[in-house]
Amino acid sequence: MDKSGAGPAQPISTLLEEKRRFPPPGGFSHQANIHDPAVYERARQDPDSFWEGFARELIWHRPWHQVLQWDPPHAQWFLGGHTNLSHNCLDRHLPHRADKPALLWEGEPGDSRSLTYGELHQEVCRFANLLTDLGVGKGDRVSLYMPLIPEAVIAMLACARIGAVHNVVFSGFSPEALQERINNAGSRILVTVDGAYRRGQLLELKEATDKVLADCPSVEKVVVVRRAGKGAPMTPGRDLWWDEGVAGVSTQCPSTPLDSEDMLFILYTSGTTGKPKGVVHTTGGYMVGVYATTRWVLDMKEDDVYWCTADIGWITGHSYVVYGPLLCGATTVIYEGAPDYHARDRMWRIIEKYHVSVFYTAPTVVRAAISWGREWLHERDLSSLRLLGSVGEPINPEAWMWYWEKVGGGRCPIVDTWWQTETGMIMLTPLPGLTELKPGSATLPFPGVEAEVVDEQGQPLPHGQGGYLVVTRPWPAMLRTIYGNPKRYIQAYWNRFPGIYFTGDSARKDEDGYIWVLGRADDVLNIAGHRLSTMEVESALVAHPAVAEAAAIGRSHPIKGEVLVCFVTVKVGTDGPVNLEAPLKDYISDKISPIARPDQIVFTAELPKTQSGKIMRRLLRDIAEGRAVGDVSTLSDPSTILTLQEKYKGAA
Ligand code: WTA
């Protein structure tokens, strides 16, 4: 997303108010990794020592001499320190936890694999040695185009071990998207698979990459994992099978001590306009930020079985599927496939089967589960759960309540965590043993993080008024630059308010200082001169018993300026659209305000979403304006657009 777009010229009106409050459930605080409210003040007074405290719990080959150097907008953390993330995720645990499961993997067809810390360490060493044999050294880029299988995690940790820079490209992206990212990063190696399973179908990833590899001049070698066992075309001299490559290779590979500011990975994030940006993260600060937040927000303990449903193609998969839980010595569950395959109870079955204690997912997944109906949960035993998390979008209060009651059984705190690819770590969040929860609010900045809601001039807004969400002090896991484009780093994040990080999101603070993220600043609606957040209208719609998902956008109108158009997906088994249009319009005007009465409601089976589940409102705006739709390369299912264009014409 580009964060430089125009935003609210006037504050955003707030029309919905959420009154429900949930203190930490009985017994939770007592066992939580953090239950002392004084941490906030302590971190505010001396943020450097606060972060240093976490850094000291990890292994450094050479200590740092300075915690932070801040030459806006360039930060360096733990200067002079040498460390290795793979070492901290693996070797650090070997004396006590070599035989404990580090990774529990379930394939979509139902196959499974478990790797202990000892086994994972060996596999990582073998692959790191293979990479070295292939000529990969410190700073070289390695692209991964793989489904969520153990080898993907092994490859990430192997890169980190030798100082190579991983560049994970989501396996659902097209070969052209892969090509663009490989070329931008200048990757020497590509790691992929013969086939990946998704919703029962086999995606032939190696064959797909062959279509573009001729146009990826930097790629010297392609390592192919036999996931599907179906074989793949192999180019002699360039392509090799993973299993053949690591056969007979030593399982010893001492980790390379890296400078704290050595590059760890590049991860591309798409902009609403322009080319994807290669967000650069470095070693020491990222490690400390991710470790701190996994310990305190996800309350991670050594005996937790933790499942985060994100793919490693996203930042959540980097920070909280791989690095965070392994830094904490926990067991991390990974699942290859779709949440509704073979049936709509797959997620609940996985939780039951592995006795998952901490579960972290996205609102889009929760809303999908709601629309499938609660009968899918009835026979599943979810009593192992103790903590739930949400990330990726604002979670609508009704979805929150369902998650709380039906999944958490009213005993699990929900941590609604706001952060970004760029922030690397969770930034706004409850601390589950401390914070009173309000459904729909990501609550407060993590200790040591400082965030504000400001107006156009960068001045803090009074409580209740919506404006821009900014971060006012550097944090350890912050992005360092945009790969190959330092100007864009400045232009996208630092130009609007000098020295202050511009998130591109809009938000408001309430009377308790809780932050409510309202969505992307460039998604804000302007109806009859009132600036409304898409989040509020959508939340209100989702609270209607018949509605599963909704997207609200503004369409230009010759007289009124802008009118509200809502795209709505109804729940399975509810009455057809015909009966719902008028009641839904009344409902919104009643729940929010007559000014928010939708001009039009379009019923649809699918909403256009990114591969990570975010609704692409700009495409809906294009459809509603009747113009050609913009870039759809990150859309999960491009056919949705055609269907919607047809629908829209029919409804207009
Ligand atoms: C949105 C995902 C509200 C927000 C980790 C942000 C959220 C963008 C939340 C980053 C949340 C993420 N509440 N909005 N809890 N979490 N967002 O880079 O708009 O894929 O700017 O990182 O997702 O998305 P990204």
Side-chain angles (χ1 to χ4, degrees):
M1 64 211 87
D2 248 306
K3 299 179 182 189
S4 48
Q10 64 192 78
I12 302 167
S13 317
T14 309
L15 303 169
L16 267 189
E17 214 186 328
E18 176 56 55
K19 295 268 188 232
R20 289 168 286 199
R21 302 284 180 274
F22 296 85
F28 192 95
S29 301
H30 178 66
Q31 62 76 56
N33 286 343
I34 182 73
H35 40 71
D36 174 9
V39 291
Y40 285 100
E41 196 42 40
R42 227 174 44 227
R44 199 171 358 256
Q45 289 192 352
D46 191 352
D48 285 7
S49 358
F50 173 76
W51 293 116
E52 224 170 7
F54 287 105
R56 286 216 182 87
E57 294 176 23
L58 299 164
I59 293 174
W60 295 75
H61 301 92
R62 191 175 94 182
W64 57 93
H65 58 74
Q66 188 181 337
V67 175
L68 166 67
Q69 180 161 318
W70 179 224
D71 304 313
H74 300 288
Q76 296 182 69
W77 283 85
F78 303 105
L79 286 84
H82 284 180
T83 186
N84 185 290
L85 190 45
S86 174
H87 190 90
N88 275 288
C89 286
L90 300 170
D91 310 48
R92 193 165 65 93
H93 303 305
L94 293 183
H96 316 290
R97 308 185 183 113
D99 296 329
K100 170 199 161 151
L103 205 63
L104 297 174
W105 170 74
E106 175 146 316
E108 193 184 74
D111 43 347
S112 59
R113 231 174 117 188
S114 148
L115 287 161
T116 63
Y117 272 92
E119 290 163 340
L120 184 59
H121 176 257
Q122 290 195 351
E123 294 303 323
V124 168
C125 286
R126 291 210 297 170
F127 193 64
N129 284 328
L130 173 63
L131 287 175
T132 308
D133 290 348
L134 294 176
V136 176
K138 196 178 133 181
D140 287 338
R141 276 80 61 212
V142 174
S143 287
L144 313 183
Y145 187 53
M146 318 170 72
L148 202 34
I149 55 174
E151 284 79 1
V153 177
I154 293 167
M156 288 169 75
L157 290 163
C159 289
R161 197 162 187 88
I162 59 172
V165 174
H166 57 68
N167 167 36
V168 183
V169 180
F170 176 57
S171 61
F173 278 154
S174 67
E176 290 71 27
L178 171 69
Q179 176 190 336
E180 187 176 12
R181 288 159 175 77
I182 288 179
N183 288 339
N184 189 278
S187 297
R188 295 181 63 185
I189 305 278
L190 172 66
V191 188
T192 186
V193 296
D194 56 350
Y197 292 99
R198 190 72 187 179
R199 228 171 235 119
Q201 283 190 337
L202 191 62
L203 311 174
E204 295 178 332
L205 288 193
K206 172 62 170 62
E207 281 177 28
T209 62
D210 278 341
K211 290 191 200 136
V212 296
L213 277 172
D215 298 315
C216 299
S218 60
V219 174
E220 294 161 24
K221 297 280 175 196
V222 181
V223 184
V224 189
V225 180
R226 274 186 236 268
R227 159 67 186 120
K230 61 167 286 295
M234 300 292 274
T235 302
R238 187 196 65 188
D239 303 349
L240 68 152
W241 292 104
W242 172 300
D243 53 315
E244 291 172 11
V246 299
V249 169
S250 165
T251 54
Q252 297 297 316
C253 172
S255 60
T256 307
L258 298 172
D259 188 88
S260 179
E261 283 300 329
D262 276 340
M263 203 190 304
L264 175 69
F265 66 82
I266 305 173
L267 182 61
Y268 286 83
T269 176
S270 49
T272 41
T273 53
K275 288 190 175 309
K277 292 177 285 201
V279 170
V280 170
H281 284 286
T282 57
T283 303
Y286 175 82
M287 172 173 81
V288 170
V290 168
Y291 173 66
T293 46
T294 310
R295 289 273 301 150
W296 282 17
V297 178
L298 299 171
D299 196 44
M300 198 74 61
K301 315 261 196 318
E302 192 194 325
D303 56 5
D304 272 312
V305 178
Y306 159 75
W307 182 27
C308 167
T309 62
D311 189 272
I312 41 140
W314 315 122
I315 189 68
T316 310
H318 286 57
S319 302
Y320 302 109
V321 172
V322 180
Y323 293 120
L326 296 179
L327 280 170
C328 294
T331 300
T332 181
V333 174
I334 59 175
Y335 167 58
E336 178 186 33
D340 54 350
Y341 193 84
H342 309 282
R344 289 172 163 178
D345 59 358
R346 186 65 181 266
M347 290 193 295
W348 321 128
R349 282 187 185 274
I350 291 176
I351 293 173
E352 182 178 69
K353 175 170 168 190
Y354 298 100
H355 307 288
V356 170
S357 53
V358 180
F359 179 61
Y360 191 26
T361 193
T364 180
V365 174
V366 175
R367 288 193 302 265
I370 297 173
S371 76
W372 297 333
R374 76 178 83 136
E375 61 273 20
W376 294 103
L377 281 148
H378 276 165
E379 297 193 355
R380 305 277 67 86
D381 176 7
L382 305 183
S383 60
S384 56
L385 290 172
R386 65 180 192 89
L387 176 63
L388 302 173
S390 171
V391 57
E393 285 174 278
I395 180 161
N396 328 103
E398 288 323 306
W400 195 102
M401 288 306 305
W402 189 92
Y403 198 27
W404 168 269
E405 280 166 14
K406 302 293 181 296
V407 181
R411 48 168 215 288
C412 307
I414 297 178
V415 286
D416 175 0
T417 61
W418 176 92
W419 58 294
Q420 306 177 304
T421 306
E422 292 86 345
T423 69
M425 60 180 241
I426 293 168
M427 300 291 280
L428 303 180
T429 179
L431 295 179
L434 267 177
T435 315
E436 183 173 69
L437 306 172
K438 302 183 186 182
S441 171
T443 74
L444 302 166
F446 187 78
V449 170
E450 281 178 21
E452 256 310 333
V453 176
V454 300
D455 66 12
E456 200 69 28
Q457 280 69 47
Q459 295 307 311
L461 281 165
H463 291 168
Q465 283 194 23
Y468 296 118
L469 178 64
V470 296
V471 185
T472 55
R473 123 188 314 281
W475 65 101
M478 65 194 276
L479 81 165
R480 298 301 195 264
T481 188
I482 297 297
Y483 192 73
N485 200 343
K487 275 205 194 111
R488 197 163 172 202
Y489 168 70
I490 294 172
Q491 173 235 319
Y493 309 107
W494 303 96
N495 260 2
R496 183 174 280 252
F497 308 115
I500 291 180
Y501 175 79
F502 177 52
T503 66
D505 282 356
S506 56
R508 73 178 163 88
K509 259 190 188 179
D510 70 13
E511 63 287 359
D512 300 320
Y514 277 40
I515 295 177
W516 299 72
V517 177
L518 299 170
R520 306 289 312 154
D522 39 20
D523 279 341
V524 166
L525 305 160
N526 190 340
I527 308 296
H530 295 265
R531 298 190 64 94
L532 306 177
S533 86
T534 50
M535 161 70 183
E536 287 197 330
V537 178
E538 291 164 9
S539 275
L541 278 165
V542 173
H544 188 281
V547 174
E549 273 211 298
I553 55 141
R555 170 168 54 84
S556 52
H557 187 277
I559 298 155
K560 300 182 194 160
E562 205 170 79
V563 289
L564 180 62
V565 179
C566 300
F567 291 78
V568 168
T569 305
V570 292
K571 283 185 190 157
V572 177
T574 32
D575 260 6
V578 195
N579 303 337
L580 270 177
E581 175 149 11
L584 277 183
K585 285 184 177 172
D586 293 345
Y587 177 81
I588 290 297
S589 115
D590 194 44
K591 267 245 164 173
I592 300 195
S593 142
I595 46 166
R597 186 182 176 84
D599 193 66
Q600 190 180 358
I601 294 189
V602 183
F603 293 91
T604 169
E606 296 280 353
L607 289 168
K609 289 188 194 157
T610 63
Q611 306 262 8
S612 63
K614 294 192 211 302
I615 297 169
M616 294 180 82
R617 293 181 190 79
R618 70 177 165 83
L619 296 182
L620 292 173
R621 282 197 295 270
D622 291 341
I623 292 173
E625 298 288 358
R627 58 188 178 221
V629 292
D631 180 23
V632 293
S633 63
T634 55
L635 197 62
S636 78
D637 177 6
S639 71
T640 323
I641 292 296
L642 278 181
T643 323
L644 268 171
Q645 280 170 324
E646 287 305 310
K647 270 254 158 68
Y648 190 81
K649 275 190 222 136

